Amino acid sequence: MTAPAPKSWILGIAPYVPGRATSEDGRKVVKLSSNENPFGTPEPARAAYRDAADHLERYPDAAAIDLRAALAAHYGVEAERLIYGTGSDEVLHLAAGTFAGPGDEIIHVRYGFAVYEIATRRVGATPVVVPDRDYATDVDAILAAVTDKTKIVFVANPNNPTGTYSTKDEIARLHAGLPESVLLVLDQAYTEYLDPEDDDGGLELARTASNVLVTRTFSKIFGLASERVGWGYASPEIINAMHRIRAPFAFSIGAQAAAIAALGDAGFVERSRSHNREWRGWFSEQVDALPGLRAVPSKANFVLVLFEGLLTAEDAYKALMAAGYATRWLPGQGLPQALRITIGTEAEMRDVVAVLRAETGRAG
Ligand SMILES: *Cc1c(COP(=O)(O)O)cnc(C)c1O
């Protein structure tokens, strides 16, 4: 007798490593490791969540009718062309599960979101990893990697962990260069952090093209990472196929109520965006002024800091942790030379810079 054998491709998956909230010795630290909103959750969302607690005996609305109506009104998208899941992570998995399987290829960039590779391998497809252009997404490299076996291209814009951004023209060029049979998944988890003039045209492409899926999340600027609310927008054919494999009750009653309320708090989103713009700019300038350090230009709510001098990313990571700040060191993603640091409050960013300045002084 032998024990049940996992599929060979499942054992090829390196488990996802989440951002830390504690130090090695278990101390609670400021979490600048998961790109969460330093302003917390909008108050109307917290109130809606508390109200929802009165009916936990009921299954949630499987069709998410109210949330889809709210999304349709807010973003000008058709409610019947929305898919949703427990976080946009699940929507990414649904895309892979609907359109790819063993023998197929799925393309993502070298320094891309870790979930793409997991979603690819989970369905037995083969990840095809393309090189970057100084950490940014290289449209030509993606197009050069397309073969007869390519089923999906995953692109995050802005990208995580690099924070880099592809313009509307670049996204249009990428889409125009792909065969119609290849699904372009545009992961817009950080899109609300962009200035309006930087919109990459993703929703418009998904509205008009037969092979574009845009994914969005309530985890980042809307401050609801705990509640796992993600959604996607694409053609009716794509959406109808994906609905067949989703879990019937994607999100809880509280999650739906909180998301609808968060969507209605425009002031919270605007405050979050403008705080982020100001302190991302300040932080990037401070980092660039330190010897051997370089901030990759970011349009998201985090900055990838490169350590190209005497101070190593690993030593900076440890010093920040000792000072009470968890950041993301990513040797497992081919970035032993970098830390991804979420933009926190003003006081937190000033403190992080002070630690980095002291450490570069010590190393030099
Ligand atoms: C954070 C993030 C997500 C969102 O994940 P959720 O499952 O919605 O919390 C998706 N894509 C990227 C690139 C991210 O960084």
Side-chain angles (χ1 to χ4, degrees):
M1 296 277 276
T2 52
K7 300 310 262 180
S8 56
W9 53 80
I10 299 296
L11 296 180
I13 296 175
Y16 182 82
V17 183
R20 299 187 64 115
T22 55
S23 62
E24 311 295 333
D25 55 4
R27 266 181 311 125
K28 194 137 178 59
V29 291
V30 175
K31 197 174 169 206
L32 301 179
S33 56
S34 295
N35 304 338
E36 295 147 344
N37 192 327
F39 291 174
T41 302
E43 176 49 35
R46 290 193 284 148
Y49 184 85
R50 277 191 298 268
D51 289 347
D54 289 342
H55 287 290
L56 301 186
E57 79 284 9
R58 301 274 179 227
Y59 276 102
D61 174 14
I65 288 174
D66 293 346
L67 178 54
R68 281 199 289 158
L71 290 169
H74 191 85
Y75 293 105
V77 295
E78 303 85 336
E80 63 281 7
R81 288 176 59 172
L82 300 178
I83 181 78
Y84 36 91
T86 46
S88 50
D89 278 5
E90 192 191 6
V91 180
L92 302 171
H93 280 287
L94 294 177
T98 305
F99 294 100
D104 297 330
E105 294 175 352
I106 298 181
I107 297 173
H108 64 84
V109 299
R110 168 160 51 165
Y111 304 127
F113 187 38
V115 168
Y116 304 152
E117 180 163 345
I118 298 172
T120 299
R121 291 188 186 276
R122 177 191 180 191
V123 299
T126 304
V128 174
V129 181
V130 304
D132 58 298
R133 190 168 21 81
D134 197 23
Y135 297 93
T137 298
D138 184 341
V139 166
D140 295 306
I142 293 175
L143 292 176
V146 174
T147 73
D148 290 347
K149 295 178 180 163
T150 307
K151 294 292 191 248
I152 298 176
V153 174
F154 281 122
V155 170
N157 197 33
N159 187 36
N160 172 15
T162 61
T164 55
Y165 158 81
S166 303
T167 63
K168 186 175 185 171
D169 287 352
E170 281 181 276
I171 295 296
R173 192 163 71 82
L174 170 61
H175 176 251
L178 290 175
E180 199 184 345
S181 59
V182 174
L183 178 67
L184 173 60
V185 177
L186 267 180
D187 177 343
Q188 297 189 330
Y190 301 98
T191 199
E192 297 87 359
Y193 285 105
L194 295 173
D195 295 325
E197 64 271 22
D198 285 335
D199 176 57
D200 70 5
L203 285 182
E204 190 53 33
L205 263 186
R207 184 193 329 277
T208 52
S210 60
N211 63 335
V212 176
L213 169 70
V214 164
T215 63
R216 297 276 183 106
T217 180
F218 281 86
S219 298
K220 304 290 159 57
I221 210 166
F222 291 108
L224 282 170
S226 148
E227 291 311 299
R228 319 301 305 124
V229 186
W231 57 281
Y233 176 59
S235 73
E237 290 75 19
I238 290 172
I239 295 300
N240 290 341
M242 290 174 71
H243 269 294
R244 290 161 202 266
I245 61 165
R246 72 170 168 83
F249 301 103
F251 18 72
S252 70
I253 290 175
Q256 296 191 42
I260 291 167
L263 210 49
D265 194 344
F268 180 87
V269 170
E270 187 45 48
R271 279 195 301 285
S272 301
R273 181 190 298 120
S274 72
H275 168 87
N276 186 68
R277 188 199 296 111
E278 177 178 357
W279 291 98
R280 180 185 63 206
W282 179 86
F283 180 68
S284 299
E285 274 173 28
Q286 298 291 314
V287 163
D288 282 335
L290 293 173
L293 271 58
R294 175 157 74 104
V296 176
S298 171
K299 295 262 190 185
N301 66 338
F302 56 86
V303 173
L304 191 71
V305 178
L306 306 174
F307 293 78
E308 300 172 327
L310 294 174
L311 176 64
T312 66
E314 182 175 14
D315 285 345
Y317 171 80
K318 288 179 181 162
L320 285 165
M321 191 64 103
Y325 294 96
T327 59
R328 196 73 155 258
W329 181 43
L330 293 163
Q333 277 183 251
L335 287 166
Q337 75 280 28
L339 294 186
R340 194 195 68 192
I341 302 178
T342 305
I343 302 303
T345 64
E346 171 179 350
E348 290 162 2
M349 298 326 286
R350 289 189 184 281
D351 209 19
V352 165
V353 165
V355 173
L356 291 176
R357 183 175 296 119
E359 290 304 309
T360 50
R362 210 190 312 277

